[in-house]
Amino acid sequence: MDDVLIVDGYNVIGAWPHLRDLRERNLDEARDLLIEAIADYQGYSGMKCIIVFDAYNVPGLGRQYNLRKVEVYYTKEKETADECIERLVKQLARRRRQIYVATSDFTEQNVAFGSGALRLSARELLVKVRQSQREVAERVQEKPMSQRNTFDKHLSGDLRDLFEKWRKGQ
């Protein structure tokens, strides 16, 4: 997992129709769904994924944490997501590593490209995420039931829920 995908969180939420609609009602849920989709994509693609959310007008030092093995950044006060993404691109750049920046912000795309990253529009990312979801679903459908792991059939509902929470990193 050497390649890196850096996602401009709020930009992508605003560009993906189902998240844009949800954002108006529940921003936290829109963020959670984006993180979940990117975590699944990370597992499928093998790329290290980072999501950056802008906290420019929020006082504080910013924060970083891992959720479902995705690095999630909230920028510090007076730092835009664009500035954080540019800093990350410079920190992560090295030989034999490709960095992709997913945003539909044209200026940020140009700055990221100038720093050595490849541009990926929010729409292109959505196409890639949906394609990965379709391919995973097809692989699951192709596998006969006799070859599927049926360990969970022997667990109580409480244990199954606990394992699912662990799997999601909660």
Side-chain angles (χ1 to χ4, degrees):
M1 189 164 21
D2 211 25
D3 288 350
V4 179
L5 171 65
I6 303 173
V7 178
D8 185 344
Y10 290 131
N11 183 278
V12 170
I13 287 173
W16 288 10
H18 65 287
L19 295 181
R20 181 178 51 239
D21 295 342
L22 180 59
R23 172 186 67 185
E24 303 305 320
R25 295 185 313 272
N26 190 335
L27 180 60
D28 289 338
E29 191 173 339
R31 272 194 306 257
D32 290 345
L33 286 176
L34 174 64
I35 292 168
E36 185 177 319
I38 297 302
D40 290 345
Y41 182 71
Q42 175 175 266
Y44 173 82
S45 69
M47 298 174 78
K48 175 184 176 67
C49 293
I50 300 170
I51 303 175
V52 178
F53 292 106
D54 195 327
Y56 183 81
N57 293 321
V58 179
L61 301 173
R63 65 179 203 198
Q64 171 199 356
Y65 62 93
N66 286 346
L67 184 61
R68 293 192 62 199
K69 298 186 180 180
V70 172
E71 288 183 39
V72 179
Y73 285 80
Y74 285 90
T75 63
K76 52 191 167 195
E77 184 179 10
K78 305 261 191 241
E79 180 183 38
T80 65
D82 294 353
E83 292 168 337
C84 181
I85 290 169
E86 292 164 29
R87 180 173 41 84
L88 288 170
V89 167
K90 289 175 184 168
Q91 286 175 355
L92 296 169
R94 68 172 194 207
R95 289 179 83 179
R96 300 180 196 258
R97 171 183 282 168
Q98 193 57 63
I99 300 173
Y100 299 86
V101 174
T103 182
S104 289
D105 179 335
F106 186 71
T107 304
E108 179 58 24
Q109 286 179 350
N110 286 333
V111 170
F113 187 69
S115 299
L118 293 177
R119 302 170 287 196
L120 189 66
S121 74
R123 186 180 188 303
E124 290 170 316
L125 178 60
L126 180 59
V127 169
K128 287 179 175 287
V129 166
R130 285 185 174 161
Q131 179 63 31
S132 70
Q133 291 169 341
R134 276 193 299 276
E135 289 180 18
V136 167
E138 287 171 8
R139 287 182 192 170
V140 168
Q141 292 300 321
E142 289 172 2
K143 198 171 196 178
M145 283 299 280
S146 62
Q147 293 179 359
R148 291 186 187 172
N149 181 0
T150 58
F151 175 76
D152 67 323
K153 290 181 182 177
H154 303 288
L155 298 176
S156 70
D158 292 340
L159 270 177
R160 203 170 325 164
D161 292 343
L162 178 65
F163 285 151
E164 182 64 15
K165 285 181 180 178
W166 287 351
R167 183 185 71 79
K168 291 182 176 178
Q170 298 174 346

